[in-house]
Amino acid sequence: MPVPAHTRPHPAGARPPWWALALPILAFVALLLLIINPSDAHAASGDPALAQILERAMQLVGH
């Protein structure tokens, strides 16, 4: 016979950790900067293959 799982109730004033908001915001800002100024993507990457992938992704987004 299955036993019901007891879950701990969440307090009404529980706040998420700081990184739960900071990481998505940081990722959004980084992607926004790449869209605004894609020439920086080539300067930031030392690997030419990565630069080609980023360039192809920007071409696909542009169409």
Side-chain angles (χ1 to χ4, degrees), residues 2-54:
V3 178
H6 295 286
T7 59
R8 209 169 94 195
H10 297 288
R15 290 179 26 186
W18 65 268
W19 51 263
L21 293 174
L23 291 179
I25 291 171
L26 181 65
F28 177 78
V29 169
L31 290 174
L32 187 62
L33 289 175
L34 283 176
I35 290 172
I36 290 173
N37 196 1
S39 64
D40 288 344
H42 296 287
S45 66
D47 186 15
L50 181 60
Q52 289 175 352
I53 291 171
L54 288 173

